[in-house]
Amino acid sequence: VLGAILIFALVSSNQKFIAKSYVSEGEISAIIVNVADREVEVSQSADDKIHIDFYESEKEYYNISVSENNELVLSLEQNKSFLDYFGTKPSKTYRKIYLQVPKGILQNIEITTTNERIALNNVSVNGNISLNSNGGNIDFNSLSAGKEVKLSAKNGNINGSIVGKWDDFTISCTVKKGECNLPSYKDGGDKTLTAECNNGNINIEFENIMTS
């Protein structure tokens, strides 16, 4: 079931873009984002719902659906002619997705994009987090997953902090044309951290947060 969408008109130099806001309804178990040439910024929502803010035009728009397994899927659709692929891209403002997710309720988050950055701040899931950027950085702060964190970047860096102790994770890192502050492999953890970087650096720290 799709939530309410609020519409406001904005005009670009070559396309008319519209700002839209999506709010989830009902139970959502996971989020899957599959886009191209879009920056994706994820933060914690103030309620138990998922909020998405984005811009779209008649030529570049999003398909938002909820599967039978309660997975919210967001994908970029394009209705362009051959000539539309030449010239300048739309403003960076229109090529950004703001996603807010509830803390510790979702099972999985999966985000894939190209040529842009993925950024997460204080995001927590019970299962797995998978982030893939081909042509942009992956940045995160206080990232928390119950089972697995999987990160992949090409022509970009992977930087951030993960909630947990070093000993909590089995680690596997692969770097080509870059540097990494973690070992290529370490076992013994109940959780899994996998990081792959081609033509970029990996710098990941662990946050051992004590709770009362």
Side-chain angles (χ1 to χ4, degrees):
V1 180
L2 296 184
I5 296 180
L6 307 177
I7 302 176
F8 306 92
L10 292 172
V11 179
S12 177
S13 58
N14 57 350
Q15 294 187 60
K16 181 180 179 181
F17 278 85
I18 297 174
K20 296 187 177 181
S21 297
Y22 169 91
V23 181
S24 65
E25 294 181 355
E27 180 181 350
I28 301 295
S29 64
I31 298 175
I32 300 173
V33 177
N34 189 356
V35 293
D37 297 324
R38 292 297 186 272
E39 180 178 353
V40 184
E41 182 176 299
V42 189
S43 60
Q44 184 178 329
S45 66
D47 53 30
D48 292 339
K49 296 183 179 181
I50 296 166
H51 301 259
I52 311 175
D53 295 303
F54 55 92
Y55 297 87
E56 63 182 15
S57 70
E58 292 183 354
K59 295 182 178 181
E60 299 181 50
Y61 52 91
Y62 297 96
N63 180 28
I64 302 176
S65 62
V66 178
S67 71
E68 295 180 355
N69 296 325
N70 295 325
E71 295 177 329
L72 193 157
V73 180
L74 184 150
S75 59
L76 177 65
E77 306 291 337
Q78 295 184 337
N79 181 25
K80 291 184 176 183
S81 67
F82 177 76
L83 295 177
D84 289 327
Y85 290 93
F86 295 91
T88 60
K89 293 182 179 180
S91 167
K92 191 174 181 66
T93 299
Y94 304 136
R95 293 184 287 111
K96 188 168 184 177
I97 300 168
Y98 298 90
L99 178 62
Q100 297 180 51
V101 300
K103 186 177 180 68
I105 292 179
L106 297 175
Q107 281 297 315
N108 304 317
I109 293 178
E110 180 181 330
I111 301 174
T112 301
T113 191
T114 62
N115 302 319
E116 291 291 348
R117 171 176 176 255
I118 300 174
L120 294 90
N121 181 42
N122 198 25
V123 173
S124 173
V125 302
N126 297 321
N128 306 325
I129 294 176
S130 177
L131 309 174
N132 187 321
S133 179
N134 187 344
N137 294 336
I138 297 176
D139 299 314
F140 49 92
N141 178 52
S142 298
L143 195 65
S144 178
K147 295 181 180 178
E148 180 181 19
V149 176
K150 187 174 183 180
L151 311 167
S152 178
K154 184 176 182 180
N155 297 324
N157 301 315
I158 298 175
N159 293 298
S161 61
I162 295 177
V163 175
K165 297 180 295 184
W166 164 274
D167 293 336
D168 292 338
F169 291 88
T170 293
I171 299 172
S172 177
C173 291
T174 303
V175 180
K176 296 180 180 179
K177 299 180 182 179
E179 298 180 353
C180 180
N181 71 323
L182 298 178
S184 59
Y185 183 77
K186 181 196 81 74
D187 62 8
D190 294 331
K191 301 179 182 181
T192 302
L193 168 61
T194 303
E196 300 177 353
C197 198
N198 189 341
N199 197 25
N201 302 321
I202 296 175
N203 191 332
I204 299 174
E205 304 293 339
F206 295 94
E207 298 182 20
N208 185 13
I209 297 177
M210 302 299 293
T211 58
S212 55

